[in-house]
Amino acid sequence: MEWAGETGMNAVPDGVVQHILSMLSNVRDVAACACVCRRWRDCVPYLPALFFPRNAFDAAAAARGAADDAIGRMVASVARLRELVIYCPFSMARLPDWLGARSATLRVLELRMDAAADKADGHLDCIGLAANLEELRLWGVSLTAAPAWGRMERLRMLEVVGAPLRDSAVRDAIAACPNLTDLSMLGCDCSGTVAVDLHLLERCRLDILGAGNCSLLLTAPRLESLEVQGFTWITLRGHSLRRLSIAKSTGRVHKVDTGTLPDLDHLSLRGVQWNWAAVSSVLQCASEVKHLVMKIEFCGDLDALQPFPEVDLVDFFNRHPKLRKFEIHGAMFAAMCQKNSLKNLDSRFIIPCLEEVLITVRSPLNAEQKLNTLESLVKYSVKLRTMVIRISQMKNCHEAADDFFEEICKFKYMNYKKVRIE
């Protein structure tokens, strides 16, 4: 390449060089390129993003404050900084200077606060200096007291990871961000009630650790996607949900009040133990669901684990006529395979929309009823394309398991175009 008598990289126009180097964000790459020549170094002020990884500086540099100095110099040198991500150890005392220097242009901020050396009460207050932020992600913070960062009117995304929470602090922090469309609180430790009232919220992920009793009260008229984990009581008011996932890996889900779910496409219910009234309530409200995942092991109102009650197969599919994909695991499948589950079957019954079924079988008990249920699903699902039978954790020390597996294999052979075994 030749341009005005120059060859090689020297022939590339300044605008093209700036565009190429603007793709860099890792500060190690930025520093290496800045050392190549003055022309490349002059492009640093136009970088849109800076990313300081965990290994950006060695331990000795961080200990003597050289890391903070380097971060400050790089932030000061980028005049139009839109995104700042700091994963490496840094001093909280210097953060206000960095945010204040680029408050006019900064739109995205992500901080690993667990790497900060001097966290104290009020350590989040300085984030209010970047009043134009649109996305904020915080790792390892403490939200036991409400941050005094003022109103964050432009903030659209808030993500908090690995934080101890206090319900009043969460409520105040969310109230300071009234225009959020995306809210995530992942791997957080909380008890009490988490109350969320956001009229522009569209997507929400809440993951609470531990087996404690924590409740959720959520009001969000525009909410389309909700994933919650760890709550015992859940109340949803005024939403437009298309995707809903509720899980609790320890403890019990006692009550779920969703209201009607006319637009719901995807529903996932998971956990060790649910109150059957909570399961029934959600399924009744989700009559229009198209993709249903049921992975609940036990029912019961008290600590004693109980099996599911019988589920009438005909009634279930009549109540969910638009169901296209059904993932059913263990206990729920067993509930559909009880003595009276198929009592209402007749020649007029059809499952109109079901196309894919994934069934997890864990026990050879009630083998005949289970085979009858499998045969009914294939027979009456007029649009069925695929049935996957997953044999999981079944004890093979009893000959009943061998006999059952042999019958499953025969069933698969008779319906080889649709059925397969994993």
Side-chain angles (χ1 to χ4, degrees):
M1 178 185 293
E2 185 172 342
W3 179 269
E6 299 284 355
T7 59
M9 281 298 294
N10 291 332
V12 179
D14 290 343
V16 175
V17 173
Q18 288 182 10
H19 177 72
I20 294 173
L21 294 182
S22 70
M23 304 295 180
L24 301 176
S25 61
N26 191 306
V27 292
R28 286 177 170 266
D29 299 332
V30 173
C33 290
C35 293
V36 172
C37 62
R38 180 186 297 275
R39 188 180 183 217
W40 286 25
R41 185 166 61 252
D42 290 343
C43 294
V44 170
Y46 303 101
L47 295 176
L50 287 177
F51 168 51
F52 294 86
R54 297 282 287 189
N55 62 345
F57 309 99
D58 58 37
R64 65 176 184 269
D68 290 333
D69 294 337
I71 294 174
R73 286 194 301 270
M74 296 200 74
V75 169
S77 66
V78 181
R80 303 178 183 179
L81 188 64
R82 288 184 54 84
E83 180 176 355
L84 177 61
V85 180
I86 305 178
Y87 284 180
C88 65
F90 66 96
S91 171
M92 286 296 302
R94 302 288 294 275
L95 184 60
D97 295 336
W98 306 335
L99 297 182
R102 292 293 168 256
S103 60
T105 59
L106 197 62
R107 298 293 182 269
V108 180
L109 178 63
E110 182 170 355
L111 301 173
R112 289 291 298 255
M113 308 295 284
D114 55 354
D118 52 351
K119 285 193 296 183
D121 291 341
H123 62 283
L124 296 178
D125 296 352
C126 66
I127 292 176
L129 294 171
N132 294 318
L133 281 179
E134 296 173 359
E135 299 180 18
L136 176 60
R137 299 179 181 89
L138 302 171
W139 296 59
V141 299
S142 175
L143 271 179
T144 55
W149 54 30
R151 298 274 291 184
M152 307 287 284
E153 297 283 355
R154 296 192 177 187
L155 198 66
R156 297 294 182 266
M157 174 189 285
L158 174 62
E159 181 174 306
V160 179
V161 181
L165 307 177
R166 182 169 294 168
D167 49 6
S168 58
V170 173
R171 182 180 63 251
D172 293 343
I174 292 176
C177 312
N179 297 317
L180 287 177
T181 59
D182 295 77
L183 173 64
S184 298
M185 294 186 175
L186 309 177
C188 296
D189 187 3
C190 182
S191 60
T193 300
V194 176
V196 178
D197 187 353
L198 292 168
H199 291 275
L200 299 181
L201 191 66
E202 298 176 1
R203 290 162 293 275
C204 183
R205 298 171 62 202
L206 303 174
D207 177 11
I208 302 300
L209 301 177
N213 294 328
C214 188
S215 60
L216 171 66
L217 175 59
L218 191 150
T219 304
R222 297 189 182 183
L223 187 66
E224 296 183 355
S225 177
L226 174 63
E227 299 178 29
V228 296
Q229 201 285 135
F231 292 95
T232 302
W233 294 274
I234 300 171
T235 303
L236 309 180
R237 296 175 179 170
H239 51 74
S240 304
L241 280 171
R242 302 186 67 87
R243 183 182 183 91
L244 174 61
S245 175
I246 303 175
K248 188 169 175 62
S249 56
T250 57
R252 181 178 69 253
V253 176
H254 183 73
K255 182 179 180 180
V256 180
D257 180 8
T258 63
T260 57
L261 299 165
D263 301 317
L264 195 68
D265 291 329
H266 182 281
L267 173 63
S268 175
L269 305 180
R270 302 172 183 266
V272 176
Q273 183 183 11
W274 280 54
N275 185 313
W276 179 248
V279 177
S280 301
S281 172
V282 178
L283 292 178
Q284 183 177 354
C285 293
S287 59
E288 304 295 309
V289 69
K290 298 177 179 65
H291 182 180
L292 175 60
V293 179
M294 288 287 298
K295 193 176 182 180
I296 302 172
E297 302 299 330
F298 299 98
C299 285
D301 297 335
L302 303 176
D303 293 335
L305 301 178
Q306 300 176 0
F308 279 28
E310 290 187 4
V311 175
D312 187 295
L313 184 140
V314 174
D315 181 64
F316 177 84
F317 283 102
N318 282 339
R319 289 176 180 271
H320 303 89
K322 296 182 180 180
L323 193 61
R324 296 179 183 174
K325 186 173 182 179
F326 190 19
E327 300 180 38
I328 179 172
H329 300 253
M332 184 64 178
F333 177 62
M336 286 187 167
C337 302
Q338 299 301 311
K339 182 178 179 180
N340 296 317
S341 295
L342 303 177
K343 65 180 180 180
N344 293 320
L345 273 178
D346 59 44
S347 59
R348 296 169 297 176
F349 172 67
I350 63 169
I351 302 174
C353 297
L354 192 64
E355 299 176 359
E356 301 178 46
V357 182
L358 171 60
I359 300 172
T360 300
V361 182
R362 292 184 173 179
S363 170
L365 298 177
N366 299 325
E368 183 178 353
Q369 288 92 334
K370 289 179 179 178
L371 286 168
N372 288 338
T373 300
L374 293 174
E375 291 169 356
S376 299
L377 288 173
V378 171
K379 179 179 179 180
Y380 294 102
S381 300
V382 294
K383 293 185 178 181
L384 187 66
R385 295 186 289 107
T386 304
M387 174 184 285
V388 177
I389 303 173
R390 182 174 294 163
I391 309 297
S392 174
Q393 300 178 354
M394 185 180 295
K395 296 180 180 180
N396 57 5
C397 58
H398 196 281
E399 65 179 29
D402 295 333
D403 295 340
F404 178 60
F405 188 74
E406 183 178 347
E407 293 297 324
I408 291 287
C409 291
K410 290 179 181 178
F411 171 74
K412 183 256 183 187
Y413 178 76
M414 296 295 293
N415 301 276
Y416 67 93
K417 290 184 177 180
K418 297 180 179 180
V419 179
R420 73 175 190 268
I421 299 174
E422 293 182 356

